[in-house]
């Protein structure tokens, strides 16, 4: 899953006006996700308030696995919070602890080999089209098929239609971005002014209709406080985004798997990859890890939610869609190496081999491990639209075979307690999204010991993973299900209706119509509830002894 605020989309040159999707210039308070609504005026999760309840209590370290695209493990705010495999001798090329993975000091990388790392990959949609294309690309509705082939053929028709739609949008985005960029460069060159501002563009007389459109969009952004330099950076990001879509994500001829060297057709293969948990692009995973575990005591950068946690880094998510085999192996690696919480800030609309992931989730639950997953950034109702992985177990024909109780699905919220509380990009679902958590303008760690604000359910999920770690580290005798119940049953209920978009129109709904819990997670309330659970558990244990 990629950052939602990286790309400026430039749409529809022709009959429709050009426009740039701008980021809001409003800024919340620092560390807002950990602040309290009543005390601080922002809808954080009351982490700082929770720590007041925990004064004098001792926390046990807890391992949280971050399955992502890579973690810059030597970040100034993360290096003391990284999991270290004490049974492994660094750099000797030997599997000292006999777990199957040599030199796995801080975790493991399932999208690489001893010689190379995967950075880019296809969308799952592309891979599925490529899988079925040889058999069905020349087929007709009248082609004779058996029942199973007919189902595959119908599936292929749907996949190819979706693929062509994505390809067309990517091509249009690429062309429009390039066109906007070119005309902006021409306009600024004609002006012969270093660092022109709004007043300078107001004086400029457009030479043609396209210049007029570009100028109109440009001035609109400048009036909203965006600088020319920021617009140019957005265009560069837009160009990179669409180029990546066309060159890798939607390219039927691109195959990254040669870089891994596994037998991809063998879903049960476990031992492949390398110990490099950073990889070629560690921005997303580093940001996620910092939200959970950035040091709270070093007076640097930011404060993570949890104060006694060890981050296990597992690379399984490329720039593109993650592969089910890698996700399953990442979950199993985390469980086998004693992680108690697994954060999964990624997702996709299609699944190649859901069964192998389902089996890994069942394995995790059998070991009392809690899985926390980002709901996705498409603004969709996941009660109706697919988002993988998910808690539902299905058979080979898609029939529901139960669901994972040790799973928390997380939507993203903003800091204002008003109708715009739900992030406009966040997926939602009365049955499929459990809770919401801060996911807008979240400042966190980045490679090279830098910091940056980002938006996404990718940021909301680690807030909840951090909360789970906070609860479990202070109340280690609770079960994974009890930790989940402490989170679910202690949310801050949202009283007012909130805006969502569905079926192309905006509407206001109550919060319990878009989530199971009907609220935003709250650390203070969760600690109070965990304390009650722990005392009740101790009392029951004492009664049994007597």
């Amino acid at each position: 899953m990629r950052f939602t605020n990286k790309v400026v989309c430039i749409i529809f040159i022709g009959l429709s006006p050009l426009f740039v999707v701008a980021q809001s210039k409003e800024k919340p308070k620092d560390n807002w996700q950990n602040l309290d609504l009543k005390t601080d005026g922002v809808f954080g999760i009351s982490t700082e308030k929770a720590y007041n309840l925990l004064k004098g209590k001792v926390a046990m370290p807890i391992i949280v696995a971050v399955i992502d695209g890579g973690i810059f493990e030597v970040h100034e705010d993360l290096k003391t919070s990284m999991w270290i495999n004490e049974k492994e001798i660094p750099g000797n090329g030997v599997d000292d602890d006999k777990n199957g993975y040599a030199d796995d000091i801080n975790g493991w990388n399932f999208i690489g080999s001893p010689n190379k790392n995967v950075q880019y990959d296809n969308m799952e949609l592309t891979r599925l089209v490529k899988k079925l294309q040889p058999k069905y690309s020349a087929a007709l509705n009248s082609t004779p098929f058996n029942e199973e082939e007919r189902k595959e053929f119908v599936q292929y028709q749907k996949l190819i239609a979706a693929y062509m739609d994505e390809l067309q949008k990517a091509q249009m985005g690429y062309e429009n971005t390039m066109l906007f960029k070119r005309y902006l460069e021409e306009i600024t060159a004609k002006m012969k002014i270093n660092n022109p501002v709004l007043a300078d563009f107001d004086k400029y007389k457009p030479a043609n209709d396209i210049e007029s459109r570009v100028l109109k969009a440009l001035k609109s952004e400048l009036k909203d406080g965006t600088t020319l330099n920021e617009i140019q950076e957005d265009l560069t990001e837009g160009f990179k985004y669409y180029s990546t879509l066309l060159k890798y994500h939607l390219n039927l001829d691109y195959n990254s798997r040669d870089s891994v060297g596994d037998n991809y057709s063998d879903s049960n293969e476990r031992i492949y990859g390398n110990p490099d948990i950073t990889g070629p692009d560690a921005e997303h995973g580093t940001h996620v890890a910092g939200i959970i575990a950035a040091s709270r005591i070093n007076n640097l950068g930011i404060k993570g939610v949890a104060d006694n946690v060890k981050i296990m880094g597992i690379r399984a998510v490329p720039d593109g869609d993650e592969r089910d085999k890698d996700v399953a192996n990442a979950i199993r690696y985390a469980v086998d190496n004693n992680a108690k919480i697994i954060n999964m800030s990624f997702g996709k609309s299609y699944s190649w081999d859901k069964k192998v992931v389902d089996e890994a989730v069942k394995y995790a639950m059998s070991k009392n491990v809690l899985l926390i997953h980002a709901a996705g950034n498409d603004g969709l109702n996941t009660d109706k639209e697919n988002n993988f992985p998910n808690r539902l177990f299905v058979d080979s024909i898609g029939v529901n075979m139960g669901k994972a109780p040790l799973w928390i699905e997380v939507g993203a919220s903003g800091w204002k307690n008003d109708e715009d509380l739900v992030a406009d990009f966040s997926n939602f679902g009365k049955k499929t999204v459990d809770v919401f958590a801060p996911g807008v303008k979240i400042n966190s760690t980045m490679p090279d010991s830098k910091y940056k604000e980002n938006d996404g359910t990718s940021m909301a999920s680690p807030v909840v993973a951090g909360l789970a770690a906070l609860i479990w580290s202070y109340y280690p005798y609770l079960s994974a299900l009890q930790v989940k119940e402490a989170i679910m049953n202690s949310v801050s209920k949202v009283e007012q209706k909130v805006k969502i978009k569905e079926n192309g129109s905006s509407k206001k709904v109550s919060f319990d119509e878009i989530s199971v819990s009907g609220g935003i997670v709250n650390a203070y309330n969760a600690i109070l509830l965990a304390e009650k659970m722990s005392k009740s558990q101790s009392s029951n244990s004492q009664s049994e002894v007597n």
Side-chain angles (χ1 to χ4, degrees):
M1 182 176 294
R2 310 313 299 162
F3 296 133
T4 61
N5 64 345
K6 291 183 76 172
V7 179
V8 170
C9 299
I10 300 165
I11 306 176
F12 302 137
I13 290 179
L15 297 177
S16 302
L18 269 170
F19 70 90
V20 179
V21 179
Q23 295 299 314
S24 169
K25 287 296 176 180
E26 290 185 85
K27 289 183 69 68
K29 293 180 178 180
D30 291 344
N31 190 43
W32 81 265
Q33 68 270 22
N34 290 314
L35 300 184
D36 179 73
L37 179 59
K38 185 175 181 180
T39 304
D40 305 298
V42 288
F43 213 141
I45 71 165
S46 306
T47 313
E48 309 305 337
K49 186 178 177 183
Y51 278 107
N52 290 328
L53 290 175
L54 295 168
K55 286 180 180 178
K57 291 183 178 290
V58 178
M60 301 291 289
I62 186 165
I63 301 171
V64 179
V66 173
I67 302 175
D68 217 289
I71 297 174
F72 186 73
E73 69 269 27
V74 294
H75 192 289
E76 62 178 7
D77 235 355
L78 280 175
K79 58 187 178 183
T80 60
S81 299
M82 295 303 299
W83 171 72
I84 297 175
N85 184 356
E86 301 286 359
K87 298 177 182 178
E88 198 75 18
I89 300 171
N92 68 352
V94 177
D95 180 19
D96 300 292
D97 62 357
K98 309 301 182 192
N99 71 348
Y101 304 96
D103 292 336
D104 56 327
I105 303 301
N106 301 121
W108 193 251
N109 172 17
F110 285 101
I111 49 174
S113 70
N115 302 314
K116 194 173 182 181
N117 283 324
V118 172
Q119 180 171 358
Y120 302 101
D121 207 339
N122 305 128
M123 293 173 64
E124 193 75 281
L125 172 62
T126 307
R127 294 193 286 259
L128 288 168
V129 167
K130 187 160 42 175
K131 177 184 180 181
L132 297 175
Q133 194 172 54
K135 186 172 183 179
Y136 298 108
S137 61
L140 303 173
N141 288 331
S142 58
T143 302
F145 290 125
N146 61 37
E147 185 177 349
E148 184 176 340
E149 289 174 328
R150 177 62 60 185
K151 287 180 180 178
E152 274 195 343
F153 176 59
V154 171
Q155 180 192 24
Y156 173 74
Q157 289 178 309
K158 292 178 180 177
L159 290 170
I160 197 68
Y163 171 79
M164 294 306 297
D165 182 57
E166 292 294 328
L167 185 63
Q168 184 180 36
K169 288 190 291 187
Q171 290 169 336
M172 180 178 290
Y174 178 84
E175 291 166 3
N176 290 347
T177 302
M178 290 299 295
L179 191 59
F180 193 107
K181 188 172 184 291
R182 190 187 103 200
Y183 274 89
L184 179 57
E185 289 171 352
E186 289 180 4
I187 289 170
T188 53
K190 290 176 186 177
M191 293 171 69
K192 298 179 180 179
I193 300 172
N194 290 329
N195 301 315
V197 295
L198 178 59
D200 298 313
F201 287 106
D202 280 334
K203 296 174 185 177
Y204 180 82
K205 303 298 182 185
N208 52 51
D209 181 58
I210 296 181
E211 276 197 3
S212 179
R213 293 166 187 259
V214 169
L215 202 63
K216 181 179 179 180
L218 180 68
K219 289 196 290 186
S220 175
E221 294 306 307
L222 293 172
K223 286 176 182 176
D224 285 341
T226 308
T227 67
L228 179 61
N229 184 60
E230 288 172 329
I231 292 170
Q232 291 169 330
E233 288 177 355
D234 285 339
L235 287 167
T236 300
E237 286 295 315
F239 172 74
K240 179 181 176 183
Y241 172 76
Y242 289 117
S243 297
T244 300
L245 275 174
L246 295 171
K247 190 174 181 180
Y248 303 109
H249 298 179
L250 296 168
N251 184 355
L252 289 167
D253 295 322
Y254 179 73
N255 178 23
S256 71
R257 209 59 189 184
D258 292 342
S259 299
V260 178
D262 66 322
N263 178 9
Y264 185 57
S265 62
D266 182 3
S267 296
N268 296 315
E269 183 183 9
R270 298 282 308 279
I271 309 301
Y272 59 93
N274 68 45
D276 176 13
I277 69 161
T278 305
D281 182 3
E283 288 191 359
H284 191 272
T286 305
H287 201 272
V288 166
I291 293 169
I292 299 169
S295 173
R296 297 184 61 84
I297 60 173
N298 64 358
N299 295 318
L300 294 171
I302 63 163
K303 291 181 179 181
V305 175
D307 66 344
N308 199 347
V309 63
K310 296 298 178 184
I311 295 292
M312 178 188 294
I314 309 177
R315 278 198 82 225
V317 185
D319 187 342
D321 281 344
E322 61 282 352
R323 296 179 183 241
D324 294 332
K325 176 181 178 179
D326 301 331
V327 171
N329 281 328
I331 291 171
R332 289 181 178 274
Y333 177 91
V335 174
D336 288 343
N337 289 280
N338 302 313
K340 297 302 294 177
I341 298 163
I342 299 175
N343 185 80
M344 299 180 289
S345 288
F346 53 82
K348 56 189 179 181
S349 300
Y350 299 88
S351 181
W352 178 287
D353 188 5
K354 189 176 189 308
K355 182 179 178 181
V356 74
V357 179
D358 288 350
E359 292 304 315
V361 170
K362 291 175 184 176
Y363 178 67
M365 292 194 303
S366 75
K367 301 295 184 179
N368 196 39
V369 174
L370 184 61
L371 301 108
I372 300 175
H373 182 246
N377 301 330
D378 301 307
L380 297 175
N381 184 346
T382 51
D383 289 355
K384 301 176 182 178
E385 305 290 340
N386 286 329
N387 182 44
F388 300 104
N390 56 46
R391 82 181 88 223
L392 299 177
F393 302 132
V394 297
D395 64 12
S396 59
I397 59 172
V399 176
N400 190 345
M401 302 294 287
K403 59 184 179 180
L406 302 185
W407 183 287
I408 302 178
E409 192 82 2
V410 187
S413 56
W415 67 92
K416 292 182 178 180
N417 187 26
D418 59 19
E419 64 180 17
D420 295 314
L421 180 61
V422 173
D424 59 5
F425 54 78
S426 180
N427 286 350
F428 54 89
K430 181 181 177 68
K431 298 177 181 178
T432 49
V433 174
D434 292 299
V435 295
F436 278 74
V440 178
K441 291 190 181 296
I442 305 298
N443 190 36
S444 188
T445 47
M446 296 289 279
D448 301 320
S449 291
K450 295 179 181 177
Y451 301 85
K452 184 181 179 182
E453 285 183 355
N454 278 303
D455 303 343
T457 58
S458 282
M459 285 65 251
S461 180
V463 169
V464 179
L467 173 55
L470 174 63
I471 296 167
W472 224 340
S473 62
Y474 283 91
Y475 302 95
Y477 298 108
L478 296 180
S479 68
L481 184 59
Q482 286 177 308
V483 172
K484 176 183 175 178
E485 289 173 347
I487 293 170
M488 293 286 293
N489 296 331
S490 64
V491 296
S492 295
K493 294 289 186 176
V494 177
E495 302 301 328
Q496 77 277 6
K497 289 191 173 184
V498 294
K499 286 194 300 187
I500 61 166
K501 287 184 179 179
E502 192 169 17
N503 301 321
S505 61
S506 180
K507 62 180 181 179
K508 292 182 181 180
V509 297
S510 61
F511 222 76
D512 58 8
E513 291 180 68
I514 58 169
S515 65
V516 177
S517 67
I520 311 293
V521 296
N522 186 282
Y524 179 81
N525 294 342
I527 292 298
L528 286 174
L529 186 52
E531 177 73 18
K532 288 181 182 178
M533 287 179 168
S534 183
K535 285 181 178 179
S536 175
Q537 191 166 292
S538 297
S539 176
N540 291 338
S541 298
Q542 189 63 39
S543 297
E544 290 175 6
V545 171
N546 295 334

